[in-house]
Structures are given as structure tokens and as C-alpha cells.
Amino acid sequence: MTDSGAPQPQPATSLRLVVAINPSASFGRTAGVGAKVVAALRADGHTVEELIATDFETLKMAARAAVAEHPDALVVVGGDGMVSLGVNLVAETPTPLGIIPSGTGNDAALGLGIPFDLDKAIDALRSALRRPQRVIDLGRVTRLAEGVSDSLYFASALSAGFDALVNERANAMRRPRGASRYTIALLLELLRLRARSYDLIVDGAPRSVKSVLLAVSNNRSIGGGMLITPDALLDDGALDLLIVAPVSRLKFLRLFPRVFKGTHAGLPIVELSRVTSVRLDAPGIVAYADGERVGPLPVEVTIVPGALRVLA
């Protein structure tokens, strides 16, 4: 017998939703996730346009065309690469972004408190569709190298140090396939570890630093939960600048476990500061934002307060 006095869930208004699915998320191990998300949303009475493609560029083009029709929300199914796609389609627009994490790196979802369990993530999305949207900041990076001057957005972090070098090496490798490629790239870059010289302009003030690990973050973590900027907030109108001073390989290896836990803050070799803009330049460094290749330095990074509506 149902207690008629207990509050009952209210059905969501029927919405027009676009669901973009990365079929190769987690190297294809999460096939079927997107279909389950679409089925759940249709069961709630929403009109759902399902987007799936054999390659990322085709999916991006289809998502761009769908968002141009002004749906009530864009939902991405995948990891931080799919979040990056969604962010750059709906940033500074009224269209909110929903996230179902199913990739190898899900830092945006982690920062937003979205569950990694599929059923719980779907329930969280359905609930978010019934309440006011959350508004967060985004970072915006402008590419200044090679005669290029264009911008893109990121939700979590821009990397321009050791982790960016690992990404660049891994992306250039044809073998092996899968996550082990990144492990091998990390080991190879560790063997070549050296401090790099950076010219920075931080909130208008020029400075030069030597660093082995440098990032500009909007979120707490990168790389699947590595808490590089443990006190970062997604909605404080600021970015967190991380600079790790030159260290030996042995000390760097000892530092890494602390970075994953966020306990490196306060160490003498670690500088953390709140900023609103940073220009970065260094020879031979390619920047990555939310795991996606941005291009060679120099770049300029700025905070864009309240740039994204999210279903979280």
C-alpha cells in the first residue's frame, strides 16, 4: 500500500535531447552504454536524437549540426574527450551539457560529482533534467603559434609539462594499442625528464620559471583522478596555476603518488596560485586541454566565469 502523504517523483517535462555517443570509449569496452542511456531517456517521454559514428570527426560534425537546432540539452556518453566535444559546442550558450562517464579519463564527471556507475549516472541525469541547471566556469585557451589565433574551451585543465609530453609521445605511437601505450610513453618520457624553461605572463605580470610539471586548472584533477590542484573550484571565477620546480627522476617518482592523492600541496617544490589569465611559452612543448591536443606553445589561457550550464 502506497503512503499517499509521501512526496512522489514528478515526471520531467518532455524535452528534445541530443545524445552523442563515443563508441570507442575505454577502447570499446563500454559498448552498449549509449543505447541504455537513450532507452532510459525515451522511457521518460523525451524526444532523443541519438548520434553515433565510426570516427570522432564525423561524430563532432553531426553533433555540431544537431546543436545548431537548439535542443533542450546535449548529453555526451564517453570520457573527457567527449566532454571536450560537448563543452566546445555549447559553451556560452543556453544549451546545458549532460555527462554519462564511460571513458578511461572522467575527470569532469569526477569534479561535478557525477557517479561512474552507469545506472547511478543515468538516474543522476534524469534527476538533473527536473531541476535548475548548475552553472560553472570554463577555461579558454587561445593558440598563438604558427600564425594561428583561435580559441577553444576546457572544463578541467590545460597541461604544458611532463603529462603533456607523455600525451604527445603516446599519440605518436602506433603500438601497442590500448592503455599500455600511455604507460610506455610515461616511462620513456621519465627517462628523458628534465626541467623546461617557461616564459609566463600571469595576470599581466611577466615571469620566467623552470618546471617539470606545469598546468592551468579549472577542476581538481586530470589523468583519471590525479589531484593536481586539490583546492580548485569549478565556479570560483579563477584558474589554479600549478608549477613544480626542477627535481631529479627519483624525487619526481616519489612526488607522483602524492599528486594522485592531492597531498603534494605545500611541498617546497610545488607552487599553487589562483589566477585569471596566463600566457605560456616554451620551446618544444605541445599543450593539451582535457586530454585533447591544443598545439605548440605559446598559448594564452583565461577564465570564462559562468560559461557552461551542466546537468549535474
Side-chain angles (χ1 to χ4, degrees):
M1 183 174 179
T2 302
D3 179 4
S4 60
Q8 300 298 312
Q10 295 300 308
T13 302
S14 180
L15 302 172
R16 189 164 57 89
L17 307 176
V18 174
V19 178
I21 303 162
N22 182 2
S24 59
S26 289
F27 304 101
R29 292 192 296 271
T30 56
V33 170
K36 190 169 184 179
V37 174
V38 170
L41 295 174
R42 285 177 175 161
D44 281 350
H46 301 303
T47 300
V48 181
E49 181 178 359
E50 180 181 8
L51 303 179
I52 190 165
T54 55
D55 64 87
F56 194 77
E57 286 304 314
T58 302
L59 183 61
K60 185 189 296 185
M61 290 174 61
R64 182 179 293 114
V67 169
E69 297 298 319
H70 307 293
D72 292 305
L74 169 66
V75 178
V76 293
V77 181
D80 283 330
M82 285 298 291
V83 174
S84 178
L85 180 151
V87 161
N88 279 283
L89 289 176
V90 301
E92 299 194 84
T93 77
T95 305
L97 180 68
I99 301 168
I100 300 291
S102 63
T104 52
N106 300 298
D107 291 286
L110 180 64
L112 289 164
I114 297 172
F116 286 7
D117 175 82
L118 176 58
D119 291 333
K120 291 180 180 178
I122 292 173
D123 286 344
L125 175 63
R126 294 164 82 179
S127 177
L129 286 166
R130 297 184 176 98
R131 63 174 184 263
Q133 298 150 12
R134 182 177 175 185
V135 178
I136 66 168
D137 308 330
L138 292 175
R140 181 167 56 207
V141 53
T142 302
R143 295 177 279 207
L144 304 174
E146 300 176 345
V148 175
S149 182
D150 62 352
S151 297
L152 55 88
Y153 298 89
F154 63 89
S156 292
L158 177 128
S159 304
F162 176 78
D163 49 333
L165 292 167
V166 171
N167 264 320
E168 185 74 353
R169 177 178 285 275
N171 288 343
M173 295 168 60
R174 293 184 175 272
R175 296 284 186 276
R177 299 189 67 182
S180 60
R181 182 174 59 185
Y182 294 91
T183 302
I184 293 171
L186 187 149
L187 294 172
L188 290 172
E189 283 301 324
L190 186 62
L191 291 173
R192 301 177 59 189
L193 180 71
R194 63 182 176 88
R196 305 292 179 124
S197 297
Y198 294 83
D199 291 320
L200 309 178
I201 301 176
V202 182
D203 288 338
R207 59 179 299 199
S208 296
V209 300
K210 286 185 176 293
S211 175
V212 291
L213 185 61
L214 191 148
V216 186
S217 297
N218 183 49
N219 195 4
R220 299 175 67 209
S221 70
I222 63 171
M226 186 167 64
L227 297 173
I228 57 167
T229 50
D231 295 325
L233 298 172
L234 290 164
D235 55 3
D236 63 348
L239 298 164
D240 287 49
L241 173 63
L242 168 72
I243 301 172
V244 177
V247 291
S248 66
R249 292 186 187 92
L250 181 59
K251 286 186 177 180
F252 193 72
L253 281 171
R254 289 174 179 169
L255 174 69
F256 242 63
R258 298 193 65 165
V259 174
F260 271 97
K261 297 176 183 178
T263 58
H264 60 295
L267 293 175
I269 59 170
V270 176
E271 178 186 338
L272 286 164
S273 57
R274 293 276 168 87
V275 303
T276 58
S277 69
V278 186
R279 188 184 190 277
L280 305 95
D281 196 6
I285 299 289
V286 172
Y288 278 74
D290 290 352
E292 300 298 301
R293 194 180 196 271
V294 173
L297 301 185
V299 299
E300 183 171 12
V301 186
T302 56
I303 188 70
V304 187
L308 183 70
R309 298 175 181 272
V310 286
L311 299 170

